[in-house]
Amino acid sequence: MRSALILLPLILTACATPREACLNRVNSELRVLDRLITETRGNLSRGYAIEERQEVRVRNRTCESVNSRGIVTEFDCSETDTITRREPVAIDLNAERAKLESLEQRQAQNRVNAQNARAQCVAANPE
């Protein structure tokens, strides 16, 4: 599921007009900064971060196979499951505040740059 979400922007970009593709590239860094700022604010309000950790489990079980003559054969096989857990993690609140301030400054500058770049996309790719 997660890989499908990662590929979705690429698929949508492939179907986009040149103007939409240009605007999407311009806005992508702003979206990343928005997400990081939201995450950092959440960390500060909670007092801790939440980290995703993946756990891989291999389960041994008995599988069945049916051959062309209809004979059922049992054999040992394994099944792999990946579980994602969200766990609280201690953070340095002062460092997190500094990070938030830095991200917000970068976002403000990026908004100005993005506004100019969007105007260039529209000028270069009229619809």
Side-chain angles (χ1 to χ4, degrees):
M1 177 70 173
R2 178 173 240 166
S3 60
L5 292 175
I6 292 170
L7 292 176
L8 185 61
L10 296 174
I11 293 168
L12 293 176
T13 302
C15 299
T17 65
R19 181 184 202 172
E20 290 168 337
C22 182
L23 291 171
N24 191 37
R25 278 191 307 276
V26 167
N27 292 325
S28 66
E29 189 169 349
L30 280 175
R31 285 191 299 271
V32 170
L33 287 170
D34 288 343
R35 183 183 53 77
L36 290 172
I37 287 170
T38 300
E39 180 181 317
T40 305
R41 285 180 179 156
N43 292 348
L44 285 168
S45 69
R46 279 188 308 274
Y48 58 89
I50 296 177
E51 192 173 278
E52 287 189 354
R53 297 190 180 165
Q54 291 188 335
E55 182 179 309
V56 178
R57 293 183 181 170
V58 178
R59 294 184 293 146
N60 294 318
R61 60 188 202 103
T62 302
C63 295
E64 293 182 349
S65 175
V66 181
N67 67 15
S68 60
R69 290 180 280 159
I71 298 172
V72 177
T73 306
E74 290 185 351
F75 58 95
D76 292 333
C77 62
S78 61
E79 196 171 273
T80 304
D81 293 325
T82 303
I83 300 167
T84 302
R85 297 188 185 277
R86 294 171 48 97
E87 298 180 4
V89 178
I91 57 172
D92 178 345
L93 293 175
N94 292 327
E96 201 74 2
R97 283 186 198 97
K99 178 170 103 175
L100 177 60
E101 185 178 327
S102 173
L103 286 168
E104 288 173 336
Q105 288 172 358
R106 187 168 168 196
Q107 182 187 43
Q109 182 58 48
N110 208 322
R111 284 191 195 284
V112 172
N113 295 342
Q115 189 173 6
N116 295 333
R118 280 192 293 270
Q120 289 176 353
C121 286
V122 172
N125 301 291
E127 290 188 341

